[in-house]
Amino acid sequence: MRNLDTGKANTWCPACGNFGILNAVKMAFNQLFDSGLNPATLAITCGIGCHGKIFDYLNVSGIYGLHGRAVATASGIKLANPELQVLSFGGDGDSLGEGLEHTLFAAKRNLDITLILHNNGNYGLTTGQFSPLSPLGFRGLSSPQGSVEEPFQAIPLLLISGASFVARAYSANPKQLASIIRQGVEHKGFSFIEVLQPCVSYNNTYSYYNQHVKELESRPADIMEAIRIANDAETIWTGVYYQTEKPTYHESAPGLANPAMQRPDQPARLEMLRSLNLI
Amino acid sequence: MQNVTFPTDSHPDATALLPDSKEGYKRYTITDNGISPLLFPPSDEVIKWNSHEHLESGLRTDQADTMVAMQDKRDRKPIEAACAKYERFAIYGKGKRRIFAYGSTALEIREAMKHLIDDYQLVVPIYLEPLPIEELLPYCDEPAIVVEHNSKPRFAQFLKEKLGLQSRADILRYDGRAWDPIELAKRIMEVDHA
């Protein structure tokens, strides 16, 4: 069995929500290995942020990429190597700011990857600027008088963009998160998991979340109901909001040569062009 | 066998693709020639790519001694030697009067050369970096005509800085259009027969 620890010294703040996510990820990986996932086929990608440090704490193959490009590199890996299980870690600034288009297009294409979004509601690594998911009025270094922007609604955004598995979890409930991660990885299609992650340094939401977070009692009937429940003003519901089976990108494109796997030589390429009546 | 294929005529010493997974593999192994062997998933060995500076294992680091060691490793890569295997410049014609150009301008001049009375030689640098200086210097002994699609003779300036080439004329065109071969031939002949 793969030892998932790297032994690297941890530099998250004590009590950071990321510890809960790391624990949940390791639990989920071990569960997946137990049910037959070959560790050799697991690959992760990270962007830049406090979330990104998880790359150094997991003994798993992958790419520690540029800010916002976690989903881009994950998409590339899956397209080139469809037999791999690809898991992407992103932040609210990383995947819904700089990398917004990568995230939405991966959902639109229903690429068979999983995105775990560490939602701490600010740019933590750079000391607390407001992010695409910060609430209106958030006071940070770049918005000392309070942010004047409304946040994106992550779950509705991803539902409308075509994600086929959408869930929300809380870093202080790692057992639930581990189960959701496992379901997301096993799901064939784009899996989006928003994780509420308190940031003890710049956006300490532990107390607020502990009072307002509840587990969904039943799954919403359809996308519109899921959107309504995700936007509940009183309660922040966690659990699986939506799951559906629909064609994944790499399975829908038969007959297209995969340039990483197959490199047809020149005679074969000429023959392909002839068969399409292009020459 | 690794689950990835490279063109068969590639240079194995430059790609350093490992034939198979090897125990204790490190993505950024420090080597004498600066090339760290490549391995791709699926793999029992953990392969960590990192866009930030890193240890041999691929974990991120900011340690000064590692940063120096990794930068030195990358600098040891034989880039110049690898590039030398490719055609880095092209010569058309055998005349004594020389013309320098790059990119698609070279194609325009090759068309124009069919309409020129005198014997010209066209010199086309293909790789500007690393510029094959030693191989190009023999063509820089006389002033040359430099043709470019810029409003200022920037390519001529580049050749002067790198090779000491003097221009006897700079032919500039920057209206977003290609040269008609006969018009270009007339312009070139004006330079030498004005």
Side-chain angles (χ1 to χ4, degrees), chain B residues 106-117 179-186 188:
Chain B
L107 299 170
E108 297 173 315
I109 298 169
R110 286 170 66 191
E111 290 269 8
M113 276 164 87
K114 296 179 194 163
H115 306 279
L116 290 170
I117 303 167
W179 280 106
D180 173 83
I182 294 177
E183 259 194 65
L184 181 55
K186 281 198 192 130
I188 292 170

Side-chain angles (χ1 to χ4, degrees), chain A residues 47-78:
Chain A
I48 299 297
C50 286
H51 81 273
K53 296 184 185 185
I54 208 171
F55 184 86
D56 283 345
Y57 309 141
L58 285 171
N59 190 34
V60 176
S61 298
I63 300 182
Y64 195 165
L66 302 176
H67 183 54
R69 316 300 167 187
V71 176
T73 38
S75 304
I77 292 175
K78 187 67 190 185

Side-chain angles (χ1 to χ4, degrees), chain A residues 10-19 198-201 204 206:
Chain A
N10 196 302
T11 57
W12 284 326
C13 303
C16 173
N18 273 319
F19 285 105
C199 170
V200 292
S201 296
N204 195 342
Y206 272 119

Side-chain angles (χ1 to χ4, degrees), chain B:
Chain B
M1 264 315 283
Q2 281 211 61
N3 203 8
V4 74
T5 53
F6 279 9
T8 49
D9 59 354
S10 70
H11 305 285
D13 52 330
T15 60
L17 191 62
L18 278 178
D20 232 316
S21 186
K22 201 175 53 120
E23 212 187 310
Y25 172 80
K26 292 187 171 144
R27 169 71 272 271
Y28 298 107
T29 307
I30 294 185
T31 56
D32 287 335
N33 71 349
I35 299 171
S36 305
L38 274 177
L39 187 67
F40 290 92
S43 147
D44 291 316
E45 294 300 306
V46 170
I47 315 162
K48 283 177 113 56
W49 280 274
N50 204 320
S51 62
H52 192 86
E53 192 58 277
H54 39 259
L55 306 171
E56 284 187 292
S57 60
L59 296 182
R60 179 191 169 125
T61 188
D62 290 308
Q63 293 169 9
D65 49 357
T66 311
M67 291 171 81
V68 170
M70 282 295 168
Q71 191 60 58
D72 286 343
K73 168 184 80 95
R74 289 188 289 266
D75 284 343
R76 285 198 294 276
K77 279 194 201 181
I79 307 251
E80 177 76 40
C83 288
K85 293 172 182 162
Y86 298 106
E87 250 189 72
R88 293 192 285 165
F89 65 101
I91 306 288
Y92 301 95
K94 294 192 180 66
K96 284 242 60 170
R97 301 167 199 257
R98 295 218 186 84
I99 307 173
F100 277 69
Y102 73 95
S104 55
T105 314
L107 299 170
E108 297 173 315
I109 298 169
R110 286 170 66 191
E111 290 269 8
M113 276 164 87
K114 296 179 194 163
H115 306 279
L116 290 170
I117 303 167
D118 302 308
D119 259 348
Y120 282 85
Q121 184 175 57
L122 172 62
V123 181
V124 186
I126 299 171
Y127 272 49
L128 297 188
E129 180 65 39
L131 188 70
I133 293 179
E134 288 309 310
E135 291 97 309
L136 283 173
L137 277 175
Y139 298 96
C140 304
D141 50 355
E142 303 275 344
I145 299 176
V146 183
V147 186
E148 56 187 296
H149 283 271
N150 290 318
S151 63
K152 293 192 178 149
R154 276 186 274 205
F155 185 55
Q157 181 65 27
F158 170 80
L159 294 171
K160 189 174 193 181
E161 284 169 18
K162 293 276 189 172
L163 301 164
L165 177 75
Q166 301 292 323
S167 304
R168 70 177 188 283
D170 294 321
I171 299 180
L172 308 175
R173 180 171 187 152
Y174 47 98
D175 60 356
R177 286 149 173 79
W179 280 106
D180 173 83
I182 294 177
E183 259 194 65
L184 181 55
K186 281 198 192 130
R187 277 298 299 276
I188 292 170
M189 287 199 286
E190 272 166 25
V191 171
D192 288 324
H193 296 278

Side-chain angles (χ1 to χ4, degrees), chain A residues 78-143:
Chain A
K78 187 67 190 185
L79 289 172
N81 223 332
E83 66 183 275
L84 297 183
Q85 281 292 358
V86 188
L87 197 71
S88 191
F89 295 90
D92 47 311
D94 181 277
S95 299
L96 293 179
E98 181 75 18
L100 179 66
E101 78 276 20
H102 301 304
T103 306
L104 296 186
F105 272 90
K108 173 182 177 295
R109 293 173 177 139
N110 200 29
L111 286 175
D112 186 18
I113 63 179
T114 302
L115 171 62
I116 296 178
L117 191 88
H118 300 223
N119 178 11
N120 64 359
N122 76 108
Y123 283 94
L125 188 64
T126 48
T127 71
Q129 294 78 18
F130 79 101
S131 82
L133 291 185
S134 300
L136 182 70
F138 180 85
R139 285 176 191 268
L141 289 183
S142 61
S143 54

